Amino acid sequence: MESNRLHEYITSGSFGEGLDMRGSDLDVMLVAKTIEVYEDEKIRFNPYMRYCRMEIDDVKPGFTKLLIKTNVISEYCEELNGKHYLSSAFFMHNLLPNQDTHIIHGPCISDKDGSFDHATCLHCKTWLSQASQWITRSDNSWLNYNVKQSIIKHGVLFVPIGVKGSPKEDIEWRISFSVGEKMLINTYTHTQLLCYALLKILLKDVIATFTECSDLLCSYFVKTVIFWISEELPQSVWKPDNLIRCFMRCFNRLIYCVEYSVCLHYFIPENNLFENKIEGRPRKLLLDRLYTLHSYGWRCVFFSDQLSSFRDSIWMDHIEQHTFHTIQVAKPLNSKMLLTADNRITVNSTSMENNVYNSGIRKIVSCDRSSLKYIYTYYMSLWCAQYTQYIPLTNPRCSNKHQYKQYNSGLCTLLQSIHHDAVSGWLMLASFFYKSKQYRNALRVLMFSISKFTPEKLYRFMDMSDVHCRLLKLKSIQKTNIVRLWKIMLVDCMKFEQNSWVIPNELQMEVNNGTCLISSIVYAYFLKFLCHYHLNNVRQCQNCLYTLQLVIAENFLIEKEGGLQSEAYKILGIASQLLGDHEAARQAFIQSLQKYPNHTLNTSSKRLSSMSSV
């Protein structure tokens, strides 16, 4: 920050935020030293200063009128109802040096080449009542006390631009938190900064290349989205290993904002940045572009020529024909017959258990053909996942030695149940540790399992996107046997048998009368929630609950067939109920019944009844 007698200079935009990106101009804010704005009457006036008082009546949140209180600034003022207001329109026109070489660009003066933007602004040295809720709302965010106090101490700025179309547009000023936003970005981890940079690249290099979409989204919207998500997620999530997951969460939120035409200002949430801006046909076209990009998952960033030579392939008007291998994968993925065969795996009497296991091992070891070997391994894995559920972890009538033997038997069998898909076997192992009250061991397995829930994964009865087709056309993938591919890419649901010993006690009602099926990603975050719940980690419980809500809202990796969506809402209701939010739990159980209105099989009805009887 530099200054002279009349102005202080503050760099802003990408350059000011530490991102020297291609195409970024030099944005400089000139803070006038001779005019000061205040909101509260309790101010010590300096006779050498000019003062304006904020008036926010009949003005959109995030904007204000500036009533001139001392030393009327004749060339900048406009009279309204006997009062003199500082005119943002007059202010801008008086600053324009030469109309042949400079133009007005929003609240800025720019050269016609667009190489720089200068915005002359006013300063209020105190925090505003409009943004007072931010001080307490962000207590659990990534900010430490000193950073927050620095932001509050600086106050806010006012830039000369009003609400477009407002009858008082010429005397309205926009409230700017540019300095505070720079301070926020300076606290970013490398992963947060990368997510921000990648979204800006996607916006400028890809989305903005389409004429009808070029002016709809701006970098400030992207910045706002990341601010909100940074406040919602613990700082520990923003690490290099989670870059893809964090980036996709930010991208998903941006799409959500466009879908519902809502992007709330970070400091003043009453100000919807999308109000009257993204509407009609341009909004539909923008959504089409965003959906197409999203179908490529995180790889959509390679459509920027800054990151890849894939630029020429963007926005194809057609989808390439699936290769034969892609069709081979899609058929069994959507085969109800194969699913029925998988579900017919049964554990017979105790005398038969060893025979089944030993026979399966012999076939795997002695088989010469790798394709058959993988099939045997696949079904042995399914069998082990089911068999372990019948091994009682505790039995007061048995000796400690026998219980220890049972424990080791279950653990060894579970370690052989990880070969039929990418995650469910590991989640069953985490469930085993949870039932053994080894919550920290369960959390370690869950961290590994959750890392596997990436957008390119396959799940049953899904509509394969173009990104899946491209992935399956890779030579390395085409050489992979389909059953072997399940181990790498398939996310199967969790299947708990009747009276299972592995299912958490909180879900025991679900297996009293039959088999229970739960989406793997839903179960993973619910089990993580339960572990933190028993460890009394309240904040982590809330984070898990919030992530679970997002997973369900976005229908991420949740199968369309069966009652898995209904089961997901039920799980959400149980978690909310454990945290004491009974109204949220009631709404989740109601949604579960709406998805699967069978009051006999859907235990949400019983849970609702028990809540109403309390």
Side-chain angles (χ1 to χ4, degrees):
M1 182 183 295
E2 299 180 5
S3 64
N4 59 27
R5 188 172 61 87
L6 298 177
H7 297 97
E8 283 187 353
Y9 298 90
I10 304 172
T11 56
S12 61
S14 295
F15 184 81
E17 294 163 352
L19 292 173
D20 188 8
M21 302 178 70
R22 185 182 73 182
S24 296
D25 52 8
L26 178 61
D27 297 324
V28 178
M29 303 188 79
L30 287 72
V31 184
K33 287 185 173 182
T34 57
I35 305 174
E36 188 174 324
V37 180
Y38 67 93
E39 182 181 27
D40 194 339
E41 292 284 359
K42 297 176 182 178
I43 184 172
R44 187 175 297 175
F45 287 95
N46 183 332
Y48 300 103
M49 292 284 290
R50 295 169 173 177
Y51 290 92
C52 297
R53 182 169 62 83
M54 290 178 60
E55 279 193 2
I56 57 175
D57 296 337
D58 302 321
V59 180
K60 178 182 175 180
F63 292 80
T64 185
K65 294 178 292 186
L66 299 180
L67 178 64
I68 299 173
K69 298 297 289 183
T70 59
N71 302 327
V72 173
I73 312 166
S74 58
E75 68 272 28
Y76 298 153
C77 77
E78 185 174 326
E79 187 175 350
L80 180 66
N81 298 327
K83 297 180 180 180
H84 291 88
Y85 293 92
L86 193 60
S87 169
S88 56
F90 292 164
F91 192 85
M92 285 295 295
H93 284 287
N94 275 280
L95 293 174
L96 192 62
N98 187 328
Q99 293 188 7
D100 294 330
T101 57
H102 294 76
I103 58 172
I104 294 177
H105 179 218
C108 304
I109 303 295
S110 304
D111 67 335
K112 291 197 171 181
D113 295 330
S115 59
F116 70 83
D117 281 334
H118 286 179
T120 302
C121 51
L122 309 181
H123 189 199
C124 175
K125 295 181 180 179
T126 58
W127 199 247
L128 302 184
S129 59
Q130 284 192 50
S132 60
Q133 48 75 39
W134 174 79
I135 298 174
T136 53
R137 189 198 73 218
S138 60
D139 274 349
N140 295 324
S141 71
W142 76 99
L143 298 180
N144 61 43
Y145 176 81
N146 291 333
V147 173
K148 182 180 288 188
Q149 290 305 309
S150 297
I151 293 173
I152 295 169
K153 185 178 179 181
H154 175 269
V156 300
L157 302 174
F158 301 87
V159 293
I161 188 169
V163 179
K164 189 173 182 180
S166 166
K168 301 171 187 175
E169 180 180 352
D170 288 350
I171 60 171
E172 293 173 343
W173 293 67
R174 188 171 72 203
I175 303 170
S176 170
F177 295 83
S178 292
V179 175
E181 288 161 0
K182 278 180 65 175
M183 293 182 188
L184 292 178
I185 291 172
N186 286 338
T187 69
Y188 275 3
T189 65
H190 188 234
T191 300
Q192 281 170 296
L193 203 60
L194 276 175
C195 285
Y196 182 33
L198 288 171
L199 279 175
K200 289 188 74 167
I201 288 172
L202 198 63
L203 180 64
K204 292 180 178 294
D205 288 3
V206 182
I207 299 170
T209 58
F210 293 88
T211 305
E212 293 180 274
C213 301
S214 59
D215 297 326
L216 296 181
L217 294 177
C218 66
S219 295
Y220 192 77
F221 299 152
V222 169
K223 183 196 299 185
T224 301
V225 163
I226 297 183
F227 282 159
W228 280 110
I229 294 179
S230 296
E231 181 174 310
E232 295 161 4
L233 292 179
Q235 195 74 342
S236 58
V237 172
W238 298 94
K239 55 186 180 181
D241 290 348
N242 289 335
L243 175 60
I244 291 175
R245 188 157 63 96
C246 291
F247 170 76
M248 288 307 297
R249 176 173 290 218
C250 295
F251 190 23
N252 288 339
R253 183 66 62 84
L254 181 64
I255 294 174
Y256 177 89
C257 290
V258 176
E259 284 178 334
Y260 293 95
S261 299
V262 173
C263 182
L264 304 183
H265 192 282
Y266 179 63
F267 290 98
I268 306 177
E270 293 78 14
N271 178 12
N272 179 9
L273 300 175
F274 280 3
E275 186 177 345
N276 300 324
K277 287 187 178 176
I278 304 180
E279 299 175 321
R281 185 173 181 275
R283 174 178 168 275
K284 184 179 182 302
L285 289 173
L286 175 61
L287 278 174
D288 288 342
R289 302 304 183 192
L290 290 172
Y291 290 149
T292 304
L293 269 178
H294 188 269
S295 71
Y296 289 85
W298 66 271
R299 294 169 182 80
C300 63
V301 298
F302 292 130
F303 293 143
S304 164
D305 61 354
Q306 292 190 69
L307 302 177
S308 170
S309 60
F310 292 170
R311 170 88 181 195
D312 294 336
S313 65
I314 190 170
W315 303 132
M316 294 178 297
D317 292 327
H318 65 282
I319 297 176
E320 296 178 14
Q321 291 295 316
H322 294 177
T323 61
F324 179 68
H325 188 73
T326 305
I327 297 172
Q328 281 185 314
V329 173
K331 281 185 176 180
L333 193 68
N334 291 279
S335 171
K336 293 186 179 181
M337 186 176 294
L338 179 62
L339 180 62
T340 302
D342 291 352
N343 290 337
R344 289 183 68 85
I345 297 271
T346 56
V347 175
N348 298 311
S349 63
T350 306
S351 61
M352 293 289 292
E353 289 167 4
N354 288 334
N355 291 337
V356 172
Y357 182 79
N358 293 334
S359 174
I361 294 296
R362 281 197 301 271
K363 287 179 179 178
I364 292 171
V365 173
S366 61
C367 185
D368 293 328
R369 294 179 58 186
S370 60
S371 57
L372 286 177
K373 188 188 293 283
Y374 285 131
I375 291 175
Y376 287 141
T377 304
Y378 174 83
Y379 282 106
M380 273 295 295
S381 178
L382 283 172
W383 185 88
C384 287
Q386 188 188 54
Y387 168 65
T388 313
Q389 298 186 50
Y390 293 99
I391 301 177
L393 299 179
T394 57
N395 190 338
R397 290 178 294 181
C398 296
S399 65
N400 289 339
K401 184 176 181 180
H402 179 77
Q403 290 189 56
Y404 179 72
K405 184 178 179 181
Q406 290 285 85
Y407 173 87
N408 284 335
S409 175
L411 184 59
C412 291
T413 308
L414 274 176
L415 288 172
Q416 297 172 69
S417 70
I418 61 171
H419 301 286
H420 59 281
D421 76 328
V423 292
S424 69
W426 292 108
L427 291 178
M428 200 67 79
L429 178 63
S431 195
F432 178 87
F433 284 135
Y434 173 79
K435 285 298 293 281
S436 305
K437 298 185 179 180
Q438 300 180 62
Y439 303 125
R440 298 194 186 281
N441 283 342
L443 284 171
R444 292 188 185 98
V445 177
L446 284 168
M447 285 178 62
F448 173 75
S449 302
I450 289 172
S451 70
K452 290 177 170 288
F453 291 114
T454 47
E456 77 278 1
K457 286 293 192 292
L458 302 168
Y459 57 95
R460 295 184 188 274
F461 307 108
M462 70 179 294
D463 296 321
M464 292 178 65
S465 68
D466 195 48
V467 67
H468 291 102
C469 298
R470 288 176 176 274
L471 184 63
L472 294 170
K473 289 177 184 178
L474 296 176
K475 289 184 179 179
S476 58
I477 296 293
Q478 289 189 7
K479 292 178 181 179
T480 304
N481 178 280
I482 291 177
V483 179
R484 176 62 179 163
L485 193 63
W486 282 178
K487 172 69 174 68
I488 302 168
M489 293 185 65
L490 179 64
V491 175
D492 216 342
C493 65
M494 300 296 294
K495 181 183 177 184
F496 292 102
E497 301 299 330
Q498 186 174 5
N499 301 319
S500 168
W501 280 86
V502 182
I503 196 168
N505 294 334
E506 292 82 356
L507 297 178
Q508 198 63 48
M509 183 189 297
E510 276 59 45
V511 291
N512 284 341
N513 300 316
T515 302
C516 173
L517 298 177
I518 306 173
S519 169
S520 287
I521 191 168
V522 171
Y523 184 72
Y525 281 108
F526 179 65
L527 192 59
K528 185 178 178 183
F529 166 90
L530 289 178
C531 290
H532 285 303
Y533 178 82
H534 288 285
L535 292 170
N536 295 316
N537 297 331
V538 177
R539 183 174 176 181
Q540 287 87 340
C541 284
Q542 292 170 338
N543 289 334
C544 291
L545 184 62
Y546 175 75
T547 306
L548 188 57
Q549 289 170 332
L550 282 182
V551 165
I552 296 171
E554 296 170 4
N555 208 29
F556 182 63
L557 297 179
I558 300 178
E559 295 178 20
K560 298 177 182 178
E561 295 290 319
L564 292 178
Q565 292 178 330
S566 168
E567 204 69 23
Y569 279 108
K570 186 198 302 180
I571 295 288
L572 180 62
I574 296 169
S576 300
Q577 193 173 17
L578 287 171
L579 282 185
D581 192 346
H582 297 290
E583 182 55 33
R586 183 176 286 105
Q587 291 301 320
F589 292 142
I590 290 171
Q591 285 180 292
S592 173
L593 286 169
Q594 289 173 347
K595 294 285 184 181
Y596 186 59
N598 187 320
H599 289 253
T600 303
L601 298 179
N602 189 346
T603 57
S604 291
S605 58
K606 294 181 181 178
R607 294 185 180 276
L608 276 173
S609 299
S610 63
M611 289 179 69
S612 60
S613 62
V614 175

